[in-house]
DNA sequence: ACCCGCATGTAAGTCGTTACATGATTCT
DNA sequence: AGAATCATGTAACGACTTACATGCGGGT
């Protein structure tokens, strides 16, 4: 099974969901480090059902179209459990901004600094959203968040990765922007201060 | 043009290279946040040449097969410069380990802790490699590294992203592993100490 | 003789995105 | 009447990976 399948099972392990619900979740918590569109989700659900990992029942709704609610099976849960502790294949992150940084020596420093300041803002905003979620989790789910066998702990753990990631990203963007602004204007001018990063 | 094209131009902006050379570079410095195989590189070079971004000349070698050495053109350099300061499309990082963390409540805590310790080691090692490169850069290229119009500065900047990324990743892995070990053995047991992350 | 590094390509297959397609119900 | 949300699918296309394919020269 591919990773998308496990991503879906991860969500279904917590609650029964329709394809539509799953699509919404894939923009949220899980989606911060794994996203998918409905055009991927529906066929994958069919494959999962084929493999016996999930089952569905049709729920009729007044005032809404009918929906198929998927539930994880015993087999699905077993497969998921096994997968969790298997070492993942090495991950080479792709990041276009870092690639741009690699060619930033060619650019106008002021324009480039602006780009990195804007990106810093993006990540600051995302960080703020994460912090809010974190505060809410600790306030409302403080005990669950510390129980390693609770889904809250797991959600909190992946959220933490987001926090660290965004912090680091923002810090980096600002550092690049600072350097570009320091060095702008006067050609080849060096730092007399600026002992950083230690 | 797609990102891969700019990745190649980024390297050719610093020196003329063959497809084979580019393939090697794509596992190295640039490759830490953008990688490609030779099967992608050769066709892309042909497209770049078609678009007038690069030219090649055949270099005959004794004791080695002949090679095509590619050089960036004026047009290629302009395109690259323009691209550098354009805001990149939003980047949703995919990370299977974070996904595993999201389902870690289902797993055996000891086994999971082991997984995260192993991953922490991976990132510690990568961090050490980056630190080595950084030390070398600062020792041998101290002045260039601080000149925003030098390729060394650009290389240093992207390296810094790697350093921050790996530090954050390692820290996160260890935190997850610690939590799992703390909570292992006694069911639903909580933290009395462990005020962390503030 | 065989494998490794240099060197350059093509083909098949997988994964993901964008676009196409349909239809109900609620809100403005 | 028209847009927005809920709801489920398929088709076409693009990017990337793995595998196929070839050939020279040097080291073991």
């Amino acid at each position: 099974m591919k990773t998308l399948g496990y991503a879906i099972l991860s969500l279904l392990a917590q609650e029964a969901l329709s394809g539509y619900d799953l699509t919404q979740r894939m923009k949220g918590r899980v989606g911060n480090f794994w996203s998918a569109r409905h055009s991927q989700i529906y066929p994958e659900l069919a494959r999962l059902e084929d493999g016996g990992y999930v089952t569905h029942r049709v729920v009729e709704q007044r005032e809404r179209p009918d929906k198929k609610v998927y539930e994880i099976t015993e087999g699905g849960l077993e497969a998921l459990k096994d997968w969790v502790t298997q070492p993942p294949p090495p991950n080479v992150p792709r990041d276009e901004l870092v690639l741009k940084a690699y060619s930033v020596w060619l650019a106008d420093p002021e324009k480039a600094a602006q780009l990195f300041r804007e990106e810093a803002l993006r990540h600051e905003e995302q960080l703020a959203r994460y912090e809010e979620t974190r505060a809410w989790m600790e306030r409302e789910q403080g005990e669950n968040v510390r129980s390693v066998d609770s889904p809250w702990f797991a959600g909190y753990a992946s959220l933490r990765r987001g926090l660290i990631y965004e912090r680091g990203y923002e810090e980096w963007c600002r550092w690049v922007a600072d350097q570009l602004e320091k060095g702008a204007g006067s050609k080849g001018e060096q730092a007399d201060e600026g002992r950083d990063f230690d």
Side-chain angles (χ1 to χ4, degrees), chain A:
Chain A
M1 204 195 321
K2 47 184 171 181
T3 309
L4 175 62
Y6 293 108
I8 291 173
L9 291 183
S10 295
L11 288 164
L12 294 182
Q14 297 191 30
E15 49 178 334
L17 294 166
S18 68
Y20 187 84
D21 296 332
L22 282 163
T23 306
Q24 306 313 110
R25 299 287 196 293
M26 288 295 204
K27 302 172 187 164
R29 178 84 295 86
V30 199
N32 294 324
F33 287 93
W34 204 273
S35 65
R37 311 290 168 90
H38 78 274
S39 58
Q40 253 191 305
I41 291 167
Y42 288 113
E44 185 64 27
L45 278 169
R47 276 189 290 272
L48 288 171
E49 190 154 39
D50 242 50
Y53 301 108
V54 302
T55 51
H56 83 268
R57 67 209 141 84
V58 176
V59 174
E60 282 159 46
Q61 299 177 112
R62 295 149 284 162
E63 324 200 333
R64 288 261 168 277
D66 295 358
K67 61 178 174 179
K68 297 183 184 173
V69 174
Y70 288 85
E71 208 176 333
I72 195 165
T73 63
E74 270 301 312
L77 207 60
E78 280 316 301
L80 184 59
K81 275 183 194 172
D82 281 356
W83 169 80
V84 173
T85 51
Q86 293 303 311
N91 186 22
V92 184
R94 280 157 191 275
D95 191 322
E96 203 172 325
L97 190 68
V98 184
L99 199 57
K100 282 173 193 274
Y102 192 77
S103 286
V104 79
W105 62 285
L106 292 164
D108 168 46
E110 267 120 9
K111 227 175 160 185
Q114 201 198 321
L115 171 70
F116 282 90
R117 295 248 176 256
E118 277 160 17
E119 288 297 320
L121 273 178
R122 288 275 151 64
H123 292 285
E124 195 187 354
E125 281 160 22
Q126 185 59 52
L127 183 58
R129 280 190 290 273
Y130 283 150
E131 284 285 13
E132 238 178 89
T133 309
R134 182 195 163 212
W136 177 88
M137 271 193 179
E138 287 181 356
R139 198 182 339 110
E140 306 289 322
Q141 303 291 339
E143 283 147 57
N144 290 328
V145 146
R146 269 166 263 277
S147 308
V148 294
D149 55 353
S150 159
W152 290 104
F153 165 74
Y156 185 73
S158 64
L159 174 65
R160 250 185 107 91
R161 177 66 195 122
L163 283 159
I164 293 174
Y165 178 82
E166 295 299 337
R167 271 185 199 169
Y169 214 120
E170 193 201 336
E171 181 199 328
W172 178 69
C173 287
R174 293 205 197 282
W175 180 86
V176 176
D178 286 350
Q179 296 299 309
L180 288 165
E181 277 170 8
K182 260 205 287 180
S186 50
K187 265 267 183 185
E189 169 256 353
Q190 257 85 56
D192 34 2
E193 61 90 31
R195 225 46 239 115
D196 61 312
F197 206 66
D198 288 277

